Amino acid sequence: MKILIAGGGKIGSALTEQLSGEGHELTVIDFDADVLEFIQEKYDVITVYGNAASMAVLEMADVASADLLVAATDRDEVNMLACLTAHRINPNLTTIGRIRNPEYRYQAYEMKDVFGLSLVVNPEQRAAHEIARLLKYPGFLSIDTFAKGNADIVELKVDAKSPLKNKSLSQLPSIIHTKVLVCAVQRDGSIIMPDGNFRIQENDLLFITAATENLTHLLRNLGIIAKQAKRVLIMGGGKISYYLIQELKDTGMHCTVVEQDRARCDELASLLPEATIVEGDASSQEFLDKEGVGQSDAVVTLTGLDELNIVISLYAHTRNVSQVITKLSHAENNKILNSLEIGSVISPKELSSYSIVRYVRAMQNQEGSAITVHRIAGGKIEAIEFEVKEDTKYIGETLRNIKTRNDALICCIISHGRIEIPSGSSKYGVGDTLVIVTSSSGRIRQLNDVFGE
Amino acid sequence: MRYAMNYKLIGRIIASLLVLEALFMVPAWGISILHHETNGAFAFLKSQLIILIAAAVLWVITRNYSHNFYAKEGLVTTGFAWIALSLLGALPFYISREIPSYIDALFEMVSGFTTTGSSILARVEDLDFGILYWRSFSHWVGGMGVLVFLLAVVPLSGKNEGFTLHILRAESPGPSVGKLVPRMRQTAMILYLIYVGLTVLDMLFLLLGGMSVFDAVCTAFGTAGTGGFGVHSDSLAGYSPYLQNVTTVFMLLFGINFSCYYLLLLRRFKEVFFDEELRLYVIIVLSSIAIIAWNIRGLYGSLEEVLRHAGFQVATVISTTGYATTDFDLWPSLSKAILLFLMLSGACAGSTGGGMKVARLLLLMKSLRRNFHANLHPSEVRKVRMNGSAVDEKVINNVNGYLIAYAAIVVVSFLVISIDGFSMETNFSAVMATFNNIGPGFNAVGPTCNFSAYSPLSKLVMIIDMLAGRLEILPILVLFSRSTWMKN
């Protein structure tokens, strides 16, 4: 597909890397020549200098023959105008706009047609939604949902007290008593696709496939107290905090926001009567103690500085806060982070670029292309949902007779709405949905790529 | 600290290029067989074997390469690739003993790949058909670029997939090289498709004029690459006026920026029509023909003949081809001075022609005008504009730097080859003709003469000049720079 990306910032470059790697023809528009030079030298794309909302620039980028425009500049107004203008030049164009200002939230949705927007992406809202989901399921570091919300891949860290420690995977059913599948393990930063003899060690990160209805069983049988947080402490009063509090409104959790800027505190206090707004410096440990870090059930660090978020999260961990969520804007793939106790990591950039990539893949709508794609463990693992078509290989075979790639695994079969965690005797038929987990990114484009040559 | 250069990936690319060169020799080998030239056929077979062994060795020692590839690697790859291709491409000449001295064979090969067309041979009719074909084919593939060909046929993808841009920039001529479409592979394919299309068209026109198939193929190759190796000692003088005129038109066409043809295919006629470089190119061509025709009006019998020779010689020099239909060394000095200026200006950027390029000339004139204004009115902020938009200051700096490097190379080369004791005019025009990839110069290296009289040292200097001229100096110059090779 011919895709225009307006804005070569955080999301723009993450998208460029992903979409160019998937074989699309990309044109990147930005008004910073250095950014363009950098992108052009790194990826096989063409660049156009200028304001993406201007008709002349869009025409220079050949919008008339493009299939998709992703407007991801740092200004909402420019993004909206770019989509509007581009859509006027080329009515067949699909447009995705990044609109992040809460003030435009409803307007962008209500006026979608006017602006020619096919999809509105709000990184902060996406991040808030993700954080809210984690808060609702404490005990997991991350949750990725498949099969219209009926199956999940959850991430668990094996700590010193875990009953799974030093057990082999074949012993798992006798401990957990529910059908789950460990589809990947991250140990010391590298990914292992385990078999039955694999022995779990302390500090392993397990990625487990389970039906959503079994998640509470899983937690209980692992001895993890699945008590939803009551007191949530949020550091930083930015947009994510605003959306998060909105999401948590009716869950019975009480939120306290720590924000340094007095004016922003006033603003939040008038917008969010249900939350407690505290003016203060989140980097001061004394202040955090005074605000009761130790008594909180969950700490979410959402300040604008990655370093500060990491430090606060580490401190919260030492004060025995049971759930810690850290937002990282730049350092999400830093290897050092694996060894730090900073709980779940949320990256707004990756979340929204993945949701755009997912949309693009759905647009392609070719035979056998993926329904959804999730990137897990900082992009080291991909979980892809495929529908079984007539031309899929090995229909009706039992799984133990099927040879798959060494780095890929069928970890869930959804047949007529029923979730099956597969074993050697499982089969699939036409119309079923399979969830594939692979440790090699971008290799599996179609379902038949899963099977070895 | 500087990073270490990625020799392994460079070696990988050169290895694939060598395989490509061995493949390119297959038709030449076939032609040798067809004409029962066993000596030539064996020479090609042996050369192919040596090239493939060299490629295999390179391939094996460059396993486990990393993907880091930046501007420096792009320049070094291009420089090395061209040197390696020339060193090995000269083997058939040498092995077949058609050119007994290796330095002469190398000169001939470099002259072919760089589309110069300067020869050390007195009588090309003495050469085998296979060898003649290989000489002309080297023009064709050198014209658009071997690495660009590689980019079109082999998917050189890696983690840093954008690295191919560095190669395109290093190999393609012009002050600011960019892609036509987002994908490098498609860009390279489009360029080659236009190139092949125009070449075939040229061949058809030549065949229609009654030229033999072999002559038509070789002449079209020489025209397309703006090279200039002919298959006859008198170049194109022996052909009919129709064939000469067809070649005049096609030489001029191949001197035009190929992105203009792409725009024409996209039906964006306006942009082509208002292209400043193209306009200047047309103006230079037409006015040069007019002045020369007036200047040589007494030398030929009819007006048709005057115009035909003036047109052909202007086209051959500005497009830096180097064919000839008449001995322009006998022309009056005004005409020769104009031809010397055309040698310097060269063809358009992004064409197969050499020289300084009309676009650079245009930018130089414009930036000179700006400097002039800046002296008269110091507080005024002015931008150099090209085709309506402001030109990046980096490009202007590069063009100014290019001029300095250009002048320096001309001066140094001129000094070194003067050791051989030929006349000033001969030496200067020899440097201009090789460095600008034209072919023949004036006087002792004029259209009816050749370069064989120079000493091996002078030939080596001119070999470097030809490579530097074709690759626009930088890729060759960095090979001589200490900072390229320093580890840290």
Side-chain angles (χ1 to χ4, degrees), chain B residues 291-292 294-296 331-341:
Chain B
I291 299 172
I292 291 178
W294 174 80
N295 193 225
I296 62 169
W331 285 2
S333 51
L334 172 64
S335 298
K336 279 162 83 174
I338 290 175
L339 290 181
L340 194 67
F341 162 74

Side-chain angles (χ1 to χ4, degrees), chain A residues 20 24 37 40 42 44-45, chain B residues 161-162 165 179 183-184:
Chain A
S20 172
H24 299 287
E37 185 62 24
Q40 162 160 277
K42 195 152 177 223
D44 192 5
V45 301
Chain B
E161 50 175 15
L165 187 66
K179 289 189 267 187
R183 287 289 172 188
M184 179 57 75

Side-chain angles (χ1 to χ4, degrees), chain A residues 2 16-17 19-27 33-34 37 40-46 60 62, chain B residues 69-71 159-166 169 177-186 268 392 394:
Chain A
K2 287 185 82 173
T16 306
E17 173 161 13
L19 293 176
S20 172
E22 290 185 13
H24 299 287
E25 290 175 36
L26 265 66
T27 306
D34 293 334
E37 185 62 24
Q40 162 160 277
E41 286 184 2
K42 195 152 177 223
Y43 311 109
D44 192 5
V45 301
I46 206 165
M60 204 150 64
D62 200 15
Chain B
F69 198 96
Y70 305 98
K159 274 204 182 111
N160 262 328
E161 50 175 15
F163 79 84
T164 48
L165 187 66
H166 296 303
R169 279 186 183 160
V177 176
K179 289 189 267 187
L180 302 171
V181 290
R183 287 289 172 188
M184 179 57 75
R185 198 167 171 197
Q186 280 173 10
R268 280 151 73 174
D392 193 352
K394 264 191 225 157

Side-chain angles (χ1 to χ4, degrees), chain B residues 59 82 94 110 119 127 146 193 199 207 218 240-241 245 248 268 271 283 299 304 312 324 359 444 451:
Chain B
W59 192 266
W82 279 70
Y94 181 64
V110 170
S119 181
L127 291 184
V146 221
L193 282 179
T199 311
L207 288 172
C218 289
S240 70
N245 287 334
T248 304
R268 280 151 73 174
E271 281 162 72
I283 290 170
L299 295 179
E304 184 275 331
F312 192 96
F451 286 72

Side-chain angles (χ1 to χ4, degrees), chain B residues 249-290:
Chain B
V249 170
F250 274 93
M251 284 190 295
L252 289 173
L253 287 180
F254 282 107
I256 293 174
N257 193 334
F258 274 53
S259 56
C260 286
Y261 296 120
Y262 180 63
L263 290 175
L264 284 182
L265 288 178
L266 294 180
R267 317 187 127 282
R268 280 151 73 174
F269 304 117
K270 231 178 170 175
E271 281 162 72
V272 178
F273 187 74
F274 288 106
D275 188 78
E276 285 188 53
E277 185 188 21
L278 185 58
R279 290 191 153 200
L280 186 60
Y281 177 71
V282 172
I283 290 170
I284 294 176
V285 168
L286 292 180
S287 49
S288 303
I289 293 176

